[in-house]
Amino acid sequence: MAVQRMDNIGIVVDDLDAAIAFFTELGMELEGRTKVEGRSAGSVVGFDDLRSEIAMMRVPDAPGRIELSKYHSPRAITPEPEVTPVNTLGLHRIMFAVDDLEDTLARLRPHGAELVGEVTRYEDSYLLCYLRGPSGIVLALAEQLS
């Protein structure tokens, strides 16, 4: 049996409204927002009880969704160190192809985006960067040059 598709990537955030605004500014669309709670929801993730709110963001006219989750009970935990370096084990970034990297950065900065390193030109092919967004989320942006 083979994998049929990747439905979404889940990201835990501390401020759901700020994360929605950030990904909306990136160019994603809010597909829906709902509460997820109760014993059956908690049993899926290994909690006796769960109270959370999720927002599903989607890439317009393309596959790819991000599920943003705000945990109310039990509360989300903060990793140590709080701002983990990009070589930390586990999921560490999501990459997006963008039309204009500098414009995208300018639009995301008011939403808390900060470069991890520098905007770098990879040969004559791409402009690339890593940035940190709400709740320490690390994104990579790539603008194809040719």
Side-chain angles (χ1 to χ4, degrees), residues 68-143:
L68 303 170
S69 300
K70 163 74 176 166
Y71 281 83
H72 298 286
S73 175
R75 290 220 174 290
I77 59 170
T78 302
E80 289 293 329
E82 186 171 343
V83 177
T84 57
V86 297
N87 65 339
T88 302
L89 292 174
L91 180 66
H92 76 273
R93 65 117 173 111
I94 303 169
M95 180 173 268
F96 290 92
V98 297
D99 293 333
D100 184 331
L101 193 141
E102 291 295 342
D103 175 67
T104 303
L105 281 174
R107 290 185 296 106
L108 292 177
R109 281 188 174 112
H111 296 277
E114 297 179 4
L115 284 173
V116 171
E118 300 175 351
V119 174
T120 303
R121 184 181 189 103
Y122 177 73
E123 299 175 350
D124 289 328
S125 301
Y126 292 95
L127 285 179
L128 303 166
C129 74
Y130 273 29
L131 62 93
R132 221 174 268 287
S135 300
I137 299 165
V138 177
L139 301 183
L141 301 179
E143 175 187 339

Side-chain angles (χ1 to χ4, degrees), residues 13-66:
V13 299
D14 59 357
D15 185 334
L16 191 58
D17 292 326
I20 291 169
F22 180 85
F23 283 103
T24 299
E25 191 63 49
L26 179 63
M28 298 185 80
E29 296 176 347
L30 178 63
E31 186 174 79
R33 184 172 177 164
T34 191
K35 293 181 192 263
V36 177
E37 53 190 22
R39 183 171 300 283
S40 61
S43 69
V44 172
V45 293
F47 295 130
D48 290 334
D49 198 21
L50 173 72
R51 257 187 343 100
S52 66
E53 187 175 1
I54 64 167
M56 192 66 72
M57 305 294 297
R58 68 180 177 87
V59 177
D61 303 320
R65 296 187 303 172
I66 294 176

